[in-house]
């Protein structure tokens, strides 16, 4: 099993996206010594391959010298088996020098673009699109792999066709996110999608995607269909991620996930102390996540999709059971549960219909040419 370590060099970010809940302009930047301590900590922590993701904030604020040393330490270490590197960035600070370094270490980059320039800049700020696409061009010219993340909001959901066609026409592979509330404040609330809106968006985009599997990839549907097929979640939202993913902030503090970084009440330990997993499990943060897990097991036990949904994202569930940091009287599963149920039911129903038609000899052959139509089974059998 691959262990996922998310490294957050800073929560600072030069962009000002209207629905952002994770940045902190006053955040400090990680010192390279923290990377050395991560390396030492992993020596006795667990014997698995480790995938490292640099996240933020804006991780490129750490600079070239930081990454030159950090990647070398983590790649060539004898304390763990490195499984790969990835990085989430708006690419504004990416230059040729950094690109060549990321190519050398095979760092896969994902960057956020919410669709065509007008839609993107309305949500993320004037000039964002051009600056990110400039960085994207530099990355591609230097052989760096880049994929996109598109956040759908209460505004952009009404432009789903325009957004989908933007990615299709440019052959940009992407993942889709729904704008959701946060534990850190209420600025994202008015941009958030309701669960019903989220579910309708997923079903509508699935229909489009099934016409274009040979042109682009939408990772969410690849994982949702694979999860339905193998009866086990393959995307962090639909998997028991607790303990298999940890995040480390600029000062070495350890958190359950990058979404919690910077929140003191979710600190599980610090890499300078080289804590064991057993030590991290004694933290209040771990206990709260276990409460979510137990609640999901109980509340969702009659659900047809519990095996490959697992109650959704623990962070989202915790957000819905708290109001601006004040503990409510109840624990909640992910409030996007309705959306997940809608898309998993849609996928299951279509797969069952395809299987029935096939067994009765009624399954239509795949059409050739530009009107080629793919099936749910094509997605279920697709290699992730």
């Amino acid at each position: 099993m691959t262990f996922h370590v998310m490294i957050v060099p800073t929560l600072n970010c030069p962009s000002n996206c209207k629905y952002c809940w994770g940045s902190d302009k006053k955040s400090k930047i990680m010192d390279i010594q923290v990377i050395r301590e991560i390396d030492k900590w992993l020596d006795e922590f667990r014997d698995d391959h480790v995938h490292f993701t640099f996240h933020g904030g804006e991780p490129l604020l750490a600079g070239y010298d930081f990454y030159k040393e950090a990647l070398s330490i983590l790649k060539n270490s004898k304390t763990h088996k490195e499984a790969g590197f990835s990085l989430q960035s708006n690419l504004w600070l990416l230059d040729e020098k950094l690109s060549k370094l990321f190519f050398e270490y095979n760092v896969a980059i994902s960057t956020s673009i919410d669709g065509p320039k007008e839609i993107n800049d309305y949500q993320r700020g004037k000039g964002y699109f051009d600056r990110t696409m400039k960085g994207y061009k530099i990355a591609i010219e230097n052989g760096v792999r880049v994929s996109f993340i598109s956040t759908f909001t209460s505004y952009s959901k009404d432009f789903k066709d325009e957004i989908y066609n933007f990615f299709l026409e440019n052959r940009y592979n992407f993942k889709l996110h729904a704008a959701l509330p946060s534990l850190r404040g209420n600025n994202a609330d008015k941009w958030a999608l309701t669960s019903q809106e989220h579910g309708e968006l997923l079903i509508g985009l699935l229909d489009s995607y099934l016409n274009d599997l040979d042109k682009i990839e939408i990772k969410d549907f690849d994982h949702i269909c694979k999860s339905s097929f193998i009866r086990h979640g393959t995307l962090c939202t639909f998997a028991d991620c607790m303990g298999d993913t940890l995040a480390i902030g600029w000062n070495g503090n350890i958190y359950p996930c990058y979404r919690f970084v910077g929140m003191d009440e979710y600190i599980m330990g610090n890499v300078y102390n080289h804590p064991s997993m057993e030590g991290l499990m004694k933290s209040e943060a771990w206990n709260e996540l276990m409460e979510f897990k137990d609640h999901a097991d109980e509340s969702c036990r009659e659900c047809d999709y519990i095996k490959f949904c697992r109650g959704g994202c623990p962070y989202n569930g915790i957000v819905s059971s708290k109001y601006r940091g004040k503990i409510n009287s109840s624990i909640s599963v992910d409030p996007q549960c309705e959306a997940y149920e809608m898309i998993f039911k849609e996928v299951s129903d279509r797969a069952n219909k395809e299987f029935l038609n096939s067994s009765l000899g009624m399954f239509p052959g795949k059409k050739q040419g530009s009107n080629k139509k793919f099936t749910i089974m094509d997605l279920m059998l697709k290699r992730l």
Side-chain angles (χ1 to χ4, degrees), residues 206 224-225 228 343-351 376 380:
L206 175 62
I224 286 169
C225 291
S228 297
I343 189 61
F344 278 122
K345 184 178 187 303
E346 185 75 15
V347 167
S348 296
D349 288 350
R350 292 190 188 198
I376 291 294
M380 286 182 166

Side-chain angles (χ1 to χ4, degrees), residues 301-358:
R301 58 194 173 104
E302 301 298 327
C303 179
D304 292 336
Y305 312 111
I306 179 60
K307 288 185 179 180
F308 44 95
C309 175
R310 298 297 313 145
C313 174
Y315 176 86
N316 292 344
I318 291 171
V319 170
S320 68
S321 64
K322 292 188 173 185
Y323 183 74
R324 308 297 167 244
K326 296 181 179 179
I327 298 177
N328 209 331
S329 59
S330 62
I331 304 169
S332 173
V333 297
D334 189 329
Q336 292 298 307
C337 173
E338 181 183 358
Y340 306 148
E341 186 173 3
M342 287 171 67
I343 189 61
F344 278 122
K345 184 178 187 303
E346 185 75 15
V347 167
S348 296
D349 288 350
R350 292 190 188 198
N352 290 336
K353 185 176 180 180
E354 289 174 9
F355 181 78
L356 178 61
N357 287 342
S358 178

Side-chain angles (χ1 to χ4, degrees), residues 70-127:
L71 291 169
S72 177
I73 290 170
L74 299 174
K75 176 73 175 180
N76 300 311
S77 173
K78 296 180 180 179
T79 71
H80 62 271
K81 300 179 284 287
E82 174 267 319
F85 296 107
S86 53
L87 181 141
Q88 167 68 28
S89 167
N90 62 23
L91 302 183
W92 293 7
L93 300 174
L94 188 73
D95 56 19
E96 186 171 354
K97 191 175 178 181
L98 268 169
S99 293
K100 290 183 182 300
L101 180 68
F102 292 152
F103 176 77
E104 178 184 349
Y105 284 93
N106 197 27
V107 179
I109 294 179
S110 58
T111 191
S112 293
I113 285 289
D114 292 346
K117 181 176 179 178
E118 294 77 13
I119 295 172
N120 179 87
D121 284 7
Y122 179 79
Q123 298 188 161
R124 292 185 170 270
K126 186 177 180 181

